[in-house]
Amino acid sequence: LQPFTPSGYLRGRSSNDRRHMLWVNAVYELPFGRDKRFLSDLHPAADAILGGWQLSAINSFVSGAPLSINVPGANGWGTRANFVGDPNVENPSAAQWFNTAAFAAPPALEYGNSPIGVVEGPATHILDLGLMKRFRIAGNTHIQVRAEAYNALNKVNLNNPGTTLGTANF
C-alpha cells in the first residue's frame, strides 16, 4: 500500500477482468470411406487415402483487458493520470488505440482522478484449424497424423498499448 492514498483509490477492475470470453470448439469426421455415408464400398487402398479424415476448429473471442493510465513519480510513488477529455476514439488502431490527449499529469503531490481500468485494451480473435487422418492398423487400432494451423486466418491481434503518460510508446 502507498501511504496517504485516498480512500478507495486502489479499487477498480482487476487487470484479469475480461467482460466477454467465448470459445467454440468442433471436430467433424468427414463422411467418406469404409463404414461412412459416402464411398463406403471403397477398395482398402483407396480407403487408406480417402477415408478417416477429420476437421477440427477452435475459435476464441476474448475482450480486452482494462488498462489504467499511469504517471510515474508524480507524487513520489506514481499515480494515475487526470481526466481532461474523452479517452475514446472512433476507430481504434495500432497507431492510436485511445485518445492520449484525454489525460494529463496531476499536480505535484496529488493523485490523479482517472479510475483503474479506464481504457479497454484490444480484444483477441483466434481461429485454430486442424486436419487429421486416421490410418487403420488392424481391427479398431489406428494411428493419427495431424496438420494444425494456429491463427489460421492470420488475424492481427494487437498487444496492449503503452499506458504510461510521458513515455515514447504512450
Side-chain angles (χ1 to χ4, degrees):
L1 283 175
Q2 298 175 9
F4 312 112
T5 305
S7 177
Y9 188 74
L10 300 177
R11 292 188 182 135
R13 288 179 65 188
S14 165
S15 60
N16 295 322
D17 181 16
R18 300 297 193 277
R19 298 291 167 105
H20 307 284
M21 300 176 99
L22 173 68
W23 281 270
V24 178
N25 307 307
V27 177
Y28 178 69
E29 187 164 353
L30 297 176
F32 303 107
R34 185 176 294 174
D35 301 328
K36 303 291 184 234
R37 184 173 176 188
F38 301 107
L39 305 175
S40 62
D41 57 350
L42 280 176
H43 185 275
D47 183 55
I49 296 168
L50 299 175
W53 287 95
Q54 293 179 325
L55 295 173
S56 68
I58 301 173
N59 206 348
S60 63
F61 303 88
V62 180
S63 61
L67 305 173
S68 300
I69 308 303
N70 301 303
V71 181
N75 60 9
W77 290 89
T79 185
R80 292 190 302 277
N82 273 343
F83 257 138
V84 294
D86 182 7
N88 298 309
V89 293
E90 193 167 317
N91 294 310
S93 66
Q96 184 179 25
W97 190 255
F98 60 92
N99 179 12
T100 57
F103 301 97
L109 304 177
E110 290 185 21
Y111 285 90
N113 65 9
S114 65
I116 291 176
V118 65
V119 175
E120 192 161 292
T124 58
H125 175 203
I126 300 171
L127 174 64
D128 299 332
L129 296 175
L131 180 64
M132 288 96 45
K133 167 74 171 116
R134 289 186 323 157
F135 292 96
R136 187 182 309 240
I137 302 297
N140 287 332
T141 305
H142 299 86
I143 292 176
Q144 188 179 67
V145 176
R146 296 176 178 229
E148 296 176 335
Y150 299 99
N151 195 11
L153 300 179
N154 199 24
K155 182 180 182 319
V156 174
N157 289 292
L158 299 173
N159 288 329
N160 287 330
T163 57
T164 303
L165 187 82
T167 60
N169 68 345
F170 179 69

